[in-house]
Amino acid sequence: MMRTFRTMKVKQTNASLMSVLVWTFTFLFTARTEEILRAISEMIPRTEVYTLVGHPAQLPCDITTEFVNDEVALVLWYNNKSPSPLYSLDARRGSLRNSRHWRSDEMASRAYFNIKNIPAYLALDPVTEDDEGVFTCRVDFYKSRTRYQEVGVNLIVPPSKPVIHDETGQAQQSLIGPYNEGDTLSLSCEVHGGNPQPNVTWWRESVLLDNSMEIKSSSIVRNILKIPSLQRHDLMAAFICEASNNNLTSPFSTSVTVDMNFRPLEVHLVEEGLHLSAGKPAEIECYTAGSRPPATISWWKGNVRLMTAKSVVSVNGNATTSILTFTPNLGDNGVYLSCAAENHLVPESDMEDGIKLEIHYTPQVFLRLGSKLRHSHIQAGNDVYFECNIRSNPTATYIGWTFKGHEIFTNTTLGIIVSNQTLVLQKVQLTNRGHYTCIATNSEGRGESNSVFLRVQYSPICEPNQEFIYRTGLDEPVRVTCKLRSDPPDVLYSWSFNNSYDNYELFSFTSKGTTSVATYTPKSKYEFGTLVCIGTNSVGTQKTPCTFEIIPAGIPEPVRNCSFINQTDDGIGVECTEGYDGGMKQQFYVEVEESLNGRLILNITSSSPWFYVKNLPSGSSFMFKIYSFNMQGKSDPVVIRGNTLQALGSRTDPGTNWTVPINAILTALVSILAVLIVIAVCAVFILKRRLIKKKDERETRNNKMHCSNCEWKGSTTIEGDSKDSLEEKCPDVIPDVKYLEVPFSSIEKDSESTKNSSQEVRKNILSATAINGQSKKPFQNYVQETVT
């Protein structure tokens, strides 16, 4: 009984210990698991984004690769509210640029993953309250390990815009009142919503007036502003109510401006710096202060009211400045000009101030041609004179003349004579053609007349800024344009050709105004030279003709700065800069050859020096020859070498087919062939030696011939060796090539057994060649299909 009790006690003790161990292991395992999960979550980088509801947000995600040849395969976006992805970018069936975007229903109209920026980001526009939480970006690469990134989205719900009410409970905005001096001002400001709860304050410009708040309900906060007595300094004061619940955005505010009524205290017409000139606009100021609303200022010239004035109110609203824009004339001299200020809301508040006008003006100048001259008939060689009429107060003290903006003086050598208010030009030329003005100066300033254009008609002259050298080829027509300057512009043209071999007139041309176009086609090398263009108008014939050189066109220059672009495992692009075209339209073509054997694969012609060759074998080298050509011929080639990239997985994938280079195949064939020839020659040589021993002595002559042959054969290897030593060495030692050639030719002449042996050797060689040819055929077919 005692033993049984002890046994039960031991079992209970063991069970208790086992339970404790299980609980201890469970606790440690759970704690360790939580630590592991916490460590994993802490390893994921996290970015916090703060934004407002209804505003756009950018959630960054780094998709840059760790390796140069690695690319993004898949991007998935999750949030902590759903185990399913909200957005995905799938590039597994193409490049990242052509990847497919997928959005969940809740993100369909407001999410887009922008991969152009660095780092890339998921754009949410607009952000809703449901977006608050943690977003996870998962990026899968082809080679690199998967990358996780977390973005915490924190939302701020701003309060509504404050609403201001006056004493009557009416909502107020902008200007309120008017109030009289000493009145009490009471304004309440209410703000609805906002998370967290907003602070509501009253401000006067940048000065805090009241920050006490009254919470009416869970969603309404109110602040009441009271001013017991309004003073003059409260006029046009701005009272601002602000509501704010964060430091990220500007506070929401509503402001009101207090208007007050006051009569004007003073009015003054500003005379300092006043200067009036007849015919020129002038600005005269009238100042009034102390009136609110702003006093109405009226302007009077004698008994006539002037309406060309504008008023400007000071910052504090207590002063008004009226500016009259006034253009006086000579009849305004001595007239009384006044300004009156009046507040129509305040009875008997009008005030007045004024001055007598004194008018000064600069000379009024008018220029015209002499009364007996007709402008349209002035030609080179005629005499011309101008008359300058001046009206000035005070009298002009200086009279001058300008031509093309530069002042001119008397110069009898050039035929220029200045005589007070008259300008005479003797025997005018084309250099006298242009704009003339007359100037006069008095104490008020400088007056300038109207501009008169002197038109001097002249015979045609050649336009300097045009093309004078043309390039063309034989039997290639060229259009030569002749541009002239002429007054009058009606011109008759004549064209001629001239060189050291010939001189004749051309009739194949068209003309319109001051432009003529001749079409010329050289038929031989002797028909390149000079085309001469001469124009004639009503004044006369062109004195210096226009000459145009017709020279033969040449072949184009080679292309420059060639480089490879967009190299892939099956294609190469080439881009170059074109050179001079030789005077004719040029084109370009490229020849592509294999660098290994120089075999031409294809050629391409293009109108621009840009080519892209596709369907090439991967990991191969090629030579590109680029030419430029026109009707005259082609340029020297520009040669560059390039290669396609190694196909992805060609070395790492165990099941991928690989191609043996052609050099390795040829080396293997030659080695097998040499070994077979050595074995066949040795076997035939041993057989021949046995046949020689069995022949009869009667065939001594023939045996001697064979012996002599054997001795000659031995002499080709190692001198002094016996026939037996050679027989022993043949099975084990590979002899020199020279040693193999002689027995093979003698065997064909001896016996039928030798022929049978050689035939077997040839069969073995052909079979070996056929076996090795099978490994070469797939590569040849691949190259042929690619070129096609």
Side-chain angles (χ1 to χ4, degrees), residues 324-360:
L324 172 68
T325 302
F326 174 55
T327 304
N329 53 48
L330 294 178
D332 295 328
N333 191 34
V335 175
Y336 183 76
L337 180 69
S338 63
C339 69
E342 181 182 9
N343 187 346
H344 297 286
L345 299 178
V346 180
E348 298 179 1
S349 61
D350 57 308
M351 302 181 70
E352 183 181 312
D353 187 25
I355 59 169
K356 282 187 178 182
L357 297 176
E358 182 179 357
I359 308 301
H360 295 273

Side-chain angles (χ1 to χ4, degrees), residues 633-646:
K634 68 176 182 179
S635 68
D636 295 332
V638 174
V639 181
I640 59 175
R641 298 178 183 273
N643 59 280
T644 54
L645 302 179
Q646 192 71 30

Side-chain angles (χ1 to χ4, degrees), residues 218-291:
S218 59
S219 61
I220 300 176
V221 180
R222 181 172 63 181
N223 190 341
I224 299 176
L225 172 67
K226 287 187 178 182
I227 299 178
S229 179
L230 292 173
Q231 303 299 321
R232 291 185 68 92
H233 64 266
D234 294 323
L235 181 63
M236 301 305 295
F239 296 93
I240 305 170
C241 178
E242 290 187 353
S244 176
N245 66 347
N246 64 84
N247 295 327
L248 300 178
T249 60
S250 300
F252 290 89
S253 63
T254 302
S255 65
V256 293
T257 302
V258 178
D259 188 14
M260 300 181 68
N261 294 333
F262 297 100
R263 63 184 298 161
L265 299 179
E266 58 180 330
V267 61
H268 298 288
L269 194 149
V270 181
E271 299 182 43
E272 183 180 357
L274 181 62
H275 180 78
L276 300 179
S277 297
K280 292 184 178 180
E283 291 185 348
I284 306 174
E285 294 184 2
C286 183
Y287 172 82
T288 181
S291 177

Side-chain angles (χ1 to χ4, degrees), residues 19-58:
S19 177
V20 170
L21 291 175
V22 170
W23 280 105
T24 302
F25 177 79
T26 303
F27 174 78
L28 294 176
F29 179 79
T30 303
R32 183 58 179 169
T33 302
E34 291 178 354
E35 290 178 2
I36 294 173
L37 293 176
R38 189 181 303 109
I40 292 174
S41 62
E42 290 177 354
M43 291 173 61
I44 299 177
R46 177 165 177 166
T47 304
E48 298 296 331
V49 175
Y50 297 88
T51 185
L52 296 172
V53 175
H55 287 236
Q58 296 179 357

Side-chain angles (χ1 to χ4, degrees), residues 642-680:
N643 59 280
T644 54
L645 302 179
Q646 192 71 30
L648 184 64
S650 61
R651 296 184 178 181
T652 58
D653 297 341
T656 305
N657 292 330
W658 56 279
T659 305
V660 179
I662 190 169
N663 287 342
I665 297 175
L666 294 176
T667 303
L669 290 175
V670 171
S671 301
I672 293 173
L673 182 61
V675 171
L676 293 175
I677 292 174
V678 170
I679 295 173

